[in-house]
Amino acid sequence: MSEAAQTLEGWYALHDFRAIDWTAWTSASESERQQAAEELESLRREWAGTEEAKQGSTAFYAIVGQKADFMLMHLRETLEELNELETAFNKTSFAAFTRPAYSYVSVVELSNYMGQPGVNPLEIPEVAARLKPILPKTKHVCFYPMNKRRSGADNWYMLSMDERRAMMRSHGMIGRQYAGKVKQIITGSVGFDNWEWGVTLFADDALQFKKLVYEMRFDEVSARFGDFGDFYVGNLLTDEGLRRMLSV
Ligand code: 76R
């Protein structure tokens, strides 16, 4: 058996994608819409409070294209909290104007491929901080789930630790060239959802998503071993953006 990579886990993650029932929204009365918007607003204040207390983090993005209208990405200490959040949202009158489009359950994950022997990574403050990240408020987000391939000669899980480490080093070197332009949060979902990882990228310039993902396609770990699900790309929903989106 090959040696399993050790992983460190942080906050649990829920990516909650919703579509808005625009017919219902635009034909609702002004006061129904206002009530719905206020209930959403009150949850947003609650989420902001949790974030200020550093007990979790939430990102809110409009999604471009027909896959969804918006995404809420929540990070929390426990799966129970994610469940409560989801239910609280579902009980709002705003949720009655939405329908589920997609969701993804995972946990913030760092693997030890690049770890130094004899160093406890949890004692490195940057590592500990990356396990419980406050989500960036960049203009754009990109999310997609992925697997490492397990087929024939291209079975990631049959490779030796040394082979995997060498490939992950090359992967990390490409990634580092995007420092300051793209922030990535890798969440592990083996045992939680249909793919092995969720990849969430944040950037102020959306083109950097394309450039980074494209460049990685030529790198062995993605070229030979990466299998990808649907991509979701979106724009930060500020207070003003949300008002504009919901105005009729
Ligand atoms: O954690 C670290 O910074 C060390 C290096 C590193 C690891 C271990 C790293 C760096 N990644 C790691 C693990 Mn990554 N990453 C992806 C994708 O589209 C694709 O082809 C792949 C999707 C992107 C865009 C990306 C970006 N990475 C992983 C893992 C877990 C693998 C495992 O355990 O087998 C996956 C699935 C994954 C996928 N990666 C970086 C980036 C970027 C931008 C970096 C540099 C981060 C930095 O140095 O700040």
Side-chain angles (χ1 to χ4, degrees):
M1 190 182 123
S2 316
E3 181 189 346
Q6 298 298 311
T7 54
L8 296 171
E9 281 79 19
W11 277 337
Y12 286 91
L14 173 66
H15 292 72
D16 188 342
F17 294 85
R18 306 270 173 155
I20 295 176
D21 180 344
W22 289 111
T23 310
W25 183 254
T26 52
S27 53
S29 71
E30 180 68 39
S31 70
E32 280 173 312
R33 280 197 303 265
Q34 197 173 332
Q35 172 68 24
E38 274 167 21
E39 288 180 33
L40 174 63
E41 193 43 45
S42 128
L43 281 187
R44 290 181 71 219
R45 273 198 298 273
E46 219 175 289
W47 301 331
T50 306
E51 187 164 292
E52 258 163 53
K54 301 206 164 32
Q55 287 166 348
S57 185
T58 293
F60 191 24
Y61 282 85
I63 298 297
V64 185
Q66 296 181 351
K67 294 189 194 106
D69 286 305
F70 65 87
M71 172 194 81
L72 282 163
M73 175 181 181
H74 298 294
L75 299 180
R76 290 295 184 276
E77 199 68 49
T78 64
L79 274 179
E80 284 85 352
E81 285 165 87
L82 291 180
N83 223 171
E84 281 162 22
L85 277 177
E86 195 182 9
T87 309
F89 179 84
N90 284 333
K91 286 178 186 163
T92 61
S93 56
F94 180 73
F97 292 101
T98 70
R99 53 178 177 75
Y102 185 61
S103 71
Y104 206 77
V105 179
S106 54
V107 62
V108 177
E109 178 191 292
L110 296 176
S111 52
N112 74 335
Y113 285 117
M114 298 301 123
Q116 308 277 336
V119 175
N120 176 358
L122 289 174
E123 283 169 12
I124 306 171
E126 294 77 29
V127 172
R130 284 180 59 191
L131 291 171
K132 300 183 174 188
I134 297 302
L135 295 170
K137 307 294 180 272
T138 53
K139 284 163 71 179
H140 306 286
V141 75
C142 171
F143 171 80
Y144 53 100
M146 68 173 287
N147 287 338
K148 291 277 174 77
R149 195 164 298 150
R150 280 182 289 132
S151 78
D154 294 339
N155 188 329
W156 176 256
Y157 296 91
M158 299 284 280
L159 299 178
S160 70
M161 177 53 108
D162 285 347
E163 288 171 291
R164 280 174 286 138
R165 187 178 286 125
M167 282 190 248
M168 289 311 293
R169 180 169 298 117
S170 164
H171 166 83
M173 295 303 277
I174 294 181
R176 259 189 243 166
Q177 293 166 31
Y178 289 81
K181 292 189 259 186
V182 178
K183 167 126 178 85
Q184 102 280 18
I185 295 182
I186 300 300
T187 52
S189 43
V190 171
F192 291 159
D193 218 318
N194 297 354
W195 296 79
E196 295 170 348
W197 288 277
V199 180
T200 313
L201 308 176
F202 295 89
D204 282 321
D205 174 7
L207 266 188
Q208 297 302 320
F209 297 144
K210 179 176 182 293
K211 294 192 184 296
L212 168 61
V213 174
Y214 184 66
E215 195 174 344
M216 283 191 172
R217 289 294 158 98
F218 292 93
D219 186 54
E220 193 169 6
V221 74
S222 295
R224 268 181 77 198
F225 299 103
D227 279 323
F228 302 93
D230 283 350
F231 281 67
Y232 294 80
V233 68
N235 305 319
L236 184 71
L237 268 176
T238 55
D239 291 344
E240 173 53 24
L242 180 63
R243 233 187 331 272
R244 253 185 292 129
M245 181 170 96
L246 297 181
S247 80
V248 171

